[in-house]
Amino acid sequence: MRIENHPILEFKRTKKVKFYFDGKEVWGYEGESIAAALHALGIWEYREGLKTKRPRGLFCAIGHCSSCLMEVNGVPNTRICVTPVKEGIIVKKQLPKGDLVEKL
Amino acid sequence: MKNYDILIIGGGPAGISAALAASKFNLKVALFEEKETLGGQLVKQTHKFFGSKDESAGTRGIFIAQKLINDVNNKDNIDVYLNSMVLGYYEDGVVTALVKGKMEKFKPKKIVIATGAFEKSLPFENNDLPGVFGAGAVQTLMNVYGVLPGKEVLMVGSGNIGLIVSYQLAQAGVKVKGIVEISEKIGGYLVHASKVRRLGIPIYTKHTITKAIGENKVEGAIIENIETKEKKQISCDVICLATGLMPLSDIINQINCEMKYISELGGYVPVHDDNMKTTVENIFVAGDTAGIEEATAAMLEGELAGLYASYELTNIFDNRINEIKERLKEFRKTSSKVVSGLKKLNLYNDFTVNSQEDLGKLHRTGIPEKESIESNIPKENKRFAIIECYQKIPCNPCVSSCPTNAISMDSLNGIPKLDTNKCIGCGNCVAICPGLAIFVVDKESVLLPYEFLPLPNKGDIVEVVDREGKFLEKNIVLNVRKMKDKTNLIEVKVSKEHINNARHIRVVK
Ligand code: SF4
Ligand code: SF4
Ligand code: FES
């Protein structure tokens, strides 16, 4: 969910773009982080814990904890909290270590 | 290979301040920032800062950030490298960085490391569930991207970050179910605590979180009284951790700077002197990397590091260096934690901190004692300000905001005192106070600061609430003063019996 009116801030939102999450078409504002766009749509599960196999989501949102690693355009271990949304990118939930094979 | 006089790692408040300081000497400066934008955590701070006028007190963090960023962009001798991650430091003084995805080499004469900090987690059952977020992440989502972090939030930690983020969540329209604090006293500034209590947010002191409930997402939390072991279940979809920060030292660890574990400063910090020099020649640190403190201290430290590094290069000693050291001392006068940490670095050795009084009920609940409330009410029947600011904190913008000099304070860390004879009830101090701790009371009305939506109109009926957010009565809005900095002033009619307790309003649709 997005904040429409805020007592202090004004959000400069750019153009809406389409991208893909696990095969589904989703959207975000160009340039915002992939994590922000997914979070706004209620998608909070980004990968599976390495040992625990439990769902993991956002934690730090500043690119330092590795909790949000996903596969973006075939590149695994992408920190989606610091990676901007672009038209048509393909984002996939990542299994433990990620897999490069698909890219090759 | 590119040559620079000073290379700064980190484009937050400390790094920017260092760059601006160095640019005064016409040195060639490079400023590296890993992300797409400058400003670091400052761009998420929608609240007004404490401090004195010299440090932009009473100004919102976002506006301070905007000014710093504009200043940097207007300097020809600062090269800003955005989306650029510094990767390595080599013994010959070469720095490597990934600049927009390409590896590049740099050879600076001096380096200032201002990489900031990282959020600490907390051990409890299911703390890995999606929905357990660091306070910085919550701020990023809502204040940078305008995305609601969730619907109902449990905050863990009542330091300044926990209190401020709770207030910001409420401003964004999120319900804050409570703030959990393990110690018996509230950790942050008590004016911030009073601000959230007015909204009806409870603060559970002597409590800790023991479990997050939920399968794939947070659905609630169990909190426990650490003395009685009594448990309480709270439903929420977000658990926000504001349990402290840790200096980020990835780059410093590559340089053989001596490091020391100082819990008061957040963890491992580089040993440094009072000019921000580390134990390695030409390497400086500033901001949270040098030890966790407030943003104001980070800006001062950054400026200091920038000036001192420039001095070593140019031999021009700027007197501002001594001035900053004094400002920092004044600022740290009431921070016993930071000062005891600095002492472990052999700094501030003969410095004594003003002891913080135990403010009883206020320290435990965010609500002042009855006696302190009553001591504010003057005998004579007139319009006057009520200042509910009882703790020694480095803040004084109320003093200079007053046109009749009715407010006095013995030092930056003093407690404001009002001369009711001089006060004309103009409300200037209400508008500027970053703690939202001042109100103007008249015979049948209260003027209060209001930073929420929707803004009521003159003539509307609103709910008048007390210091705990409890409903007192419905009454009419007499006046609305829209302010440029968005701390609007609302004057609401209040019946005599409630005049000393009416401290906030709720607009009912
Ligand atoms: S209300 Fe006006 S006159 Fe009274 S203390 Fe505040 S600024 Fe001064
Ligand atoms: S009353 Fe004065 S000292 Fe206290 S928070 Fe407000 S401006 Fe600062
Ligand atoms: S949420 Fe921590 S790296 Fe993305």
Side-chain angles (χ1 to χ4, degrees):
Chain A
M1 274 190 310
R2 305 232 173 216
I3 303 171
E4 295 310 330
N5 296 307
H6 192 281
I8 312 290
L9 296 166
E10 271 163 48
F11 301 105
K12 286 177 222 100
R13 286 174 176 141
T14 47
K15 133 171 164 241
K16 269 190 189 179
V17 291
K18 272 187 293 195
F19 67 104
Y20 300 91
F21 167 76
D22 274 356
K24 270 195 325 243
E25 194 181 292
V26 290
W27 68 274
Y29 289 106
E30 191 172 53
E32 69 181 356
S33 72
I34 298 173
L38 293 180
H39 194 93
L41 296 169
I43 301 166
W44 292 18
E45 272 176 51
Y46 304 145
R47 70 179 181 103
E48 219 172 59
L50 209 56
K51 293 186 191 129
T52 60
K53 304 274 193 294
R54 285 155 59 91
R56 298 300 306 268
L58 204 63
F59 178 70
C60 74
I62 55 168
H64 283 291
C65 74
S66 301
S67 188
C68 68
L69 302 182
M70 291 184 96
E71 193 188 296
V72 177
N73 281 347
V75 182
N77 299 323
T78 305
R79 299 167 303 166
I80 60 152
C81 68
V82 289
T83 307
V85 167
K86 284 191 199 101
E87 175 80 47
I89 52 169
I90 296 168
V91 180
K92 285 185 181 160
K93 211 180 265 176
Q94 181 170 314
L95 296 175
K97 285 187 171 165
D99 198 353
L100 260 180
V101 175
E102 209 169 321
K103 202 190 174 193
L104 302 173
Chain B
M1 180 116 66
K2 281 190 187 136
N3 292 306
Y4 280 102
D5 290 313
I6 302 186
L7 184 146
I8 296 152
I9 311 174
I16 297 182
S17 303
L20 289 172
S23 77
K24 290 205 295 191
F25 298 88
N26 266 324
L27 295 171
K28 244 185 115 197
V29 183
L31 178 60
F32 278 83
E33 168 55 47
E34 194 185 1
K35 289 179 209 78
E36 228 164 350
T37 46
L38 289 175
Q41 304 304 303
L42 202 53
V43 300
K44 308 170 190 174
Q45 310 310 327
T46 52
H47 62 285
K48 295 183 186 179
F49 275 43
F50 291 113
S52 75
K53 266 260 152 8
D54 312 335
E55 281 97 34
S56 337
T59 309
R60 296 187 191 280
I62 39 171
F63 299 135
I64 302 175
Q66 207 45 59
K67 182 175 183 302
L68 288 175
I69 296 168
N70 287 344
D71 288 351
V72 165
N73 291 336
N74 287 332
K75 291 281 186 304
D76 296 334
N77 55 342
I78 304 177
D79 288 347
V80 180
Y81 291 88
L82 296 174
N83 289 315
S84 303
M85 196 196 285
V86 171
L87 299 172
Y89 172 84
Y90 297 83
E91 267 165 26
D92 53 1
V94 171
V95 169
T96 54
L98 206 55
V99 179
K100 300 197 169 114
K102 224 179 101 220
M103 177 89 112
E104 284 188 33
K105 283 197 222 165
F106 300 87
K107 182 90 198 257
K109 292 183 186 135
K110 306 274 173 194
I111 299 176
V112 180
I113 302 172
T115 45
F118 171 68
E119 209 115 32
K120 283 182 191 165
S121 183
L122 193 73
F124 57 89
E125 200 180 330
N126 291 336
N127 72 353
D128 59 343
L129 275 184
V132 177
F133 304 133
V138 165
Q139 275 192 314
T140 307
L141 286 174
M142 75 182 167
N143 294 349
V144 176
Y145 299 117
V147 170
L148 285 170
K151 291 191 188 85
E152 297 183 317
V153 175
L154 177 71
M155 181 66 63
V156 183
S158 76
N160 279 330
I161 298 183
L163 296 173
I164 289 168
V165 175
S166 297
Y167 184 77
Q168 292 177 354
L169 280 160
Q171 284 181 307
V174 177
K175 180 144 183 66
V176 181
K177 300 296 282 283
I179 302 174
V180 178
E181 169 57 56
I182 195 157
S183 107
E184 66 159 335
K185 286 194 210 158
I186 293 165
Y189 291 145
L190 298 173
V191 284
H192 283 320
S194 302
K195 243 193 247 185
V196 300
R197 288 306 313 272
R198 244 173 261 157
L199 307 176
I201 300 171
I203 300 179
Y204 299 102
T205 49
K206 291 200 258 183
H207 275 74
T208 188
I209 177 168
T210 56
K211 185 180 178 176
I213 304 168
E215 280 299 316
N216 295 319
K217 252 187 189 190
V218 169
E219 284 157 24
I222 306 276
I223 66 169
E224 186 183 290
N225 183 312
I226 55 162
E227 271 172 12
T228 64
K229 302 288 167 205
E230 203 179 306
K231 287 187 165 63
K232 193 178 163 73
Q233 184 166 335
I234 292 180
S235 78
C236 57
D237 57 353
V238 171
I239 295 167
C240 179
L241 300 184
T243 42
L245 299 167
M246 204 160 45
L248 266 176
S249 47
D250 313 61
I251 291 293
I252 303 174
N253 290 335
Q254 295 185 31
I255 306 171
N256 276 329
C257 296
E258 193 187 329
M259 301 291 284
K260 208 167 172 184
Y261 186 86
I262 301 178
S263 64
E264 293 94 330
L265 298 179
Y268 277 99
V269 293
V271 172
H272 58 272
D273 67 10
D274 68 341
N275 294 311
M276 308 312 295
K277 283 181 71 153
T278 66
T279 54
V280 173
E281 201 53 34
N282 301 324
I283 309 284
F284 292 72
V285 283
D288 278 349
T289 319
I292 306 298
E293 271 184 87
E294 307 284 318
T296 309
M299 289 183 269
L300 287 169
E301 281 186 350
E303 190 183 354
L304 178 58
L307 290 176
Y308 206 84
S310 309
Y311 163 60
E312 289 190 341
L313 290 171
T314 60
N315 249 327
I316 305 166
F317 187 86
D318 189 325
N319 221 0
R320 175 84 184 139
I321 291 176
N322 292 327
E323 222 177 281
I324 295 173
K325 289 184 190 173
E326 285 312 308
R327 304 295 308 152
L328 277 169
K329 279 198 173 144
E330 234 190 308
F331 216 79
R332 289 166 174 155
K333 198 72 200 169
T334 47
S335 331
S336 50
K337 197 168 143 199
V338 171
V339 171
S340 82
L342 290 171
K343 284 192 201 270
K344 293 184 184 165
L345 286 174
N346 251 329
L347 297 166
Y348 281 60
N349 278 330
D350 38 21
F351 186 80
T352 42
V353 184
N354 285 353
S355 62
Q356 279 284 8
E357 251 183 286
D358 184 340
L359 295 165
K361 187 181 163 206
L362 180 58
H363 248 126
R364 282 147 191 86
T365 62
I367 314 280
E369 308 265 4
K370 210 165 157 241
E371 296 77 66
S372 6
I373 294 170
E374 280 166 2
S375 71
N376 273 333
I377 306 163
K379 307 279 164 292
E380 58 275 44
N381 216 350
K382 61 174 279 218
R383 186 182 174 90
F384 58 90
I386 295 248
I387 307 180
E388 302 201 343
C389 175
Y390 308 102
Q391 186 185 30
K392 290 176 189 155
I393 54 172
C395 182
N396 70 5
C398 53
V399 175
S400 54
S401 76
C402 179
T404 62
N405 294 320
I407 307 176
S408 61
M409 209 185 279
D410 50 17
S411 71
L412 178 63
N413 289 286
I415 292 163
K417 280 194 193 60
L418 179 79
D419 180 341
T420 42
N421 292 323
K422 286 191 190 162
C423 176
I424 52 168
C426 69
N428 281 8
C429 54
V430 181
I432 192 113
C433 172
L436 305 189
I438 314 186
F439 310 86
V440 168
V441 170
D442 211 331
K443 269 180 240 117
E444 284 198 322
S445 73
V446 176
L447 176 81
L448 41 84
Y450 189 76
E451 299 183 326
F452 291 84
L453 286 180
L455 195 63
N457 293 310
K458 186 174 166 174
D460 285 358
I461 301 289
V462 295
E463 290 185 359
V464 179
V465 303
D466 71 1
R467 293 181 185 80
E468 292 173 57
K470 287 206 184 104
F471 175 81
L472 294 173
E473 64 184 18
K474 282 194 178 181
N475 222 323
I476 187 168
V477 173
L478 299 174
N479 199 9
V480 176
R481 258 154 79 190
K482 277 198 198 173
M483 306 301 272
K484 219 173 98 200
D485 79 346
K486 304 196 175 163
T487 302
N488 299 307
L489 301 185
I490 310 280
E491 185 153 13
V492 64
K493 191 158 188 241
V494 178
S495 60
K496 265 220 160 72
E497 53 169 325
H498 290 140
I499 218 112
N500 294 322
N501 292 320
R503 290 297 174 265
H504 191 57
I505 55 155
R506 268 196 301 256
V507 178
V508 272
K509 276 168 270 176

